[in-house]
Amino acid sequence: MTPAFSVRGLTKVYGEGHSAVHALRGVDIDLPKGEIVVLLGPSGSGKSTLLNILGGLDRATSGTAAFDGRELTTMNDRALTRYRRDHVGFVFQFYNLMPSLTALENVELVTEISGDPMAPDEALRLVGLEERTHHFPAQLSGGEQQRVAIARAVAKQPNVLFCDEPTGALDSTTGRAVLQVLRDVNETLGTTVLIVTHAMATAQMADRVIHFADGAIREVVENKTKLSPSEIHW
Ligand code: ADP
Ligand code: MG
């Protein structure tokens, strides 16, 4: 089967000359479809840079990165926009919800411009928020707001869900509930899930853990004893 992503010699340099930052120093990896992959590494190691390039939000300096056999690094802006719209969902540390819209309306913002969306209330049911559809973000807890953000990201039925520090602003109990939702999405819809984090505990729920440091992969570990988020030791 074609991998979800096939990455070779990927580099990213921000700036130039003395102030140049080498955020990625040559990344090689194949990511199979349908897995939960956790990209683990210290702050500043280049995790978000890699996620943003694979998600079509940023461009590499050199090297190649293919999604399902289609090269991203040579796509023009239009093709990259279409790729993001049709195939990719994002979840960030801060939920980025529209404060003047209800949970349901925040999800509808995305389903209205998607080719093959699920019903917005179905997406909210998937994340356990069927009782909160008409609440505004300010009326929801942090964990609930993040679940709205996940519902919004999965409602367009993306192939890949990119999560950058999704539990970074949450306590461990709430974080666990959010990770459980990501696992439910992976199992129910078969979505490939890539979670970027510096929180080691998250690795316990992964199929595959990529240890990242200083812009490069140090080790890739297949997790034979994958835990459910409720079993994770923090
Ligand atoms: P991580 O997500 O692992 O914390 P990042 O990918 O955000 O790391 O950053 C990797 C390095 O690239 C850091 O040194 C960071 O300061 C730098 N960097 C990230 N984005 C930019 C940017 N837009 N301009 C300049 N430097 C950047
Ligand atoms: Mg980051």
Side-chain angles (χ1 to χ4, degrees):
M1 189 165 67
T2 315
F5 291 98
S6 189
V7 179
R8 295 291 178 273
L10 201 72
T11 76
K12 177 69 179 183
V13 184
Y14 291 108
E16 45 192 65
H18 286 305
S19 58
V21 175
H22 293 260
L24 297 179
R25 296 172 180 273
V27 172
D28 300 285
I29 186 110
D30 283 339
L31 298 179
K33 288 176 184 161
E35 287 195 354
I36 299 176
V37 178
V38 168
L39 181 61
L40 190 64
S43 177
S45 58
K47 306 182 299 296
S48 295
T49 301
L50 178 59
L51 180 139
N52 290 343
I53 293 171
L54 296 184
L57 293 174
D58 199 358
R59 287 185 176 280
T61 303
S62 66
T64 60
F67 163 75
D68 201 13
R70 290 149 59 194
E71 188 51 45
L72 298 174
T73 52
T74 53
M75 277 185 190
N76 63 24
D77 287 347
R78 264 182 89 141
L80 212 51
T81 300
R82 206 175 311 124
Y83 161 66
R84 281 199 307 271
R85 194 189 55 204
D86 294 343
H87 298 291
V88 178
F90 290 99
V91 175
F92 295 104
Q93 176 174 359
F94 302 105
Y95 327 116
N96 303 314
L97 302 177
M98 297 291 286
S100 62
L101 300 180
T102 64
L104 191 69
E105 289 164 347
N106 267 279
V107 177
E108 283 170 349
L109 272 186
V110 167
T111 56
E112 278 166 11
I113 60 163
S114 304
D116 180 29
M118 63 173 82
D121 57 338
E122 189 192 331
L124 286 166
R125 198 173 324 120
L126 187 66
V127 302
L129 287 182
E130 59 273 23
E131 308 290 321
R132 296 279 186 280
T133 52
H134 300 298
H135 286 59
F136 291 96
Q139 300 170 321
L140 299 170
S141 71
E144 287 171 338
Q145 289 181 62
Q146 189 62 302
R147 280 148 65 191
V148 175
I150 294 170
R152 179 181 57 184
V154 300
K156 65 172 168 181
Q157 312 218 55
N159 304 84
V160 187
L161 188 57
F162 289 103
C163 309
D164 196 343
E165 306 279 4
T167 62
L170 304 173
D171 63 78
S172 62
T173 305
T174 313
R176 227 186 265 269
V178 163
L179 294 179
Q180 184 63 52
V181 166
L182 294 176
R183 171 143 166 177
D184 292 345
V185 167
N186 169 258
E187 288 188 346
T188 313
L189 305 176
T191 313
T192 304
V193 177
L194 182 60
I195 303 173
V196 158
T197 183
H198 65 277
M200 264 171 33
T202 309
Q204 297 169 60
M205 69 175 281
D207 292 294
R208 191 177 302 264
V209 184
I210 302 173
H211 294 268
F212 213 72
D214 201 20
I217 293 173
R218 301 295 150 171
E219 194 183 10
V220 180
V221 180
E222 277 188 56
N223 202 354
K224 302 277 184 233
T225 53
K226 178 179 166 187
L227 298 180
S228 130
S230 63
E231 303 160 334
I232 289 178
H233 308 286
W234 292 79

